[in-house]
């Protein structure tokens, strides 16, 4: 398995980010074809109590790298990707990792 | 559930890092009490093909924040934490997130 890790930087308006994520982005992400598992949640802080570099982390698991890439290029993947630009005011780091 | 996300920066010697992780650190991490799930893998790159900010990401799931904290303060948690300093030459960002 491989996963797409989306690490969102701290947004200008965290409450607006959280609302948009729950109401709009999560449903879009969950429509991506061949998504094997999806997890997303707020970063509560760094383990040492300092500020964490990210506000929110989402992970999308796929069978393999080919399937991840095909899924992200599908209309549903493109729609979810385009939506990120509308609410991720703190930026988003997208990484592909072994899982 | 909550999880501890450990994002390792690029080490000076990636092959030595990978060996130490597989042979020493993974077994130490898996001994941490009340660990509900453990996943760890190499970051293959950023989704846009650029260099990712991390070399390796591990995640440790626990029932709740209290259990995570108690587990990390146990002798096994302390041993795994102390080991990080011996091989994570690119640093390690430890975050606690909702899961």
């Amino acid at each position: 398995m491989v996963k797409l890790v989306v690490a969102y930087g701290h947004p200008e308006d965290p409450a607006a980010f959280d609302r948009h994520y729950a109401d709009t982005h999560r449903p879009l992400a969950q429509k991506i074809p061949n998504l094997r598992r999806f997890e997303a949640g707020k970063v509560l802080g760094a383990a040492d109590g300092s500020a964490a570099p990210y506000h929110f982390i989402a992970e999308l698991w796929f069978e393999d790298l080919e399937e991840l890439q095909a899924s992200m290029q599908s209309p549903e993947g493109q729609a979810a990707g385009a939506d990120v630009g509308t609410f991720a005011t703190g930026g988003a780091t997208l990484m592909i990792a072994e899982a």
Side-chain angles (χ1 to χ4, degrees), chain A residues 41-63:
Chain A
K42 256 191 240 196
V43 177
L44 303 171
D48 64 2
S50 66
Y54 304 109
H55 172 68
F56 195 96
I57 297 177
E59 291 177 287
L60 296 84
W61 281 261
F62 297 91
E63 193 56 38

Side-chain angles (χ1 to χ4, degrees), chain A residues 56-75:
Chain A
F56 195 96
I57 297 177
E59 291 177 287
L60 296 84
W61 281 261
F62 297 91
E63 193 56 38
D64 56 33
L65 193 56
E66 258 181 28
E67 205 162 271
L68 182 155
Q69 288 169 333
S71 296
M72 296 312 294
Q73 282 158 19
S74 70

Side-chain angles (χ1 to χ4, degrees), chain A residues 19-41:
Chain A
R19 258 196 318 273
H20 184 98
Y21 199 93
D23 297 345
T24 305
H25 194 69
R26 180 186 284 267
L28 283 175
Q30 288 178 323
K31 275 187 202 133
I32 296 172
N34 298 314
L35 185 61
R36 303 299 163 122
R37 202 165 98 216
F38 175 77
E39 281 188 23

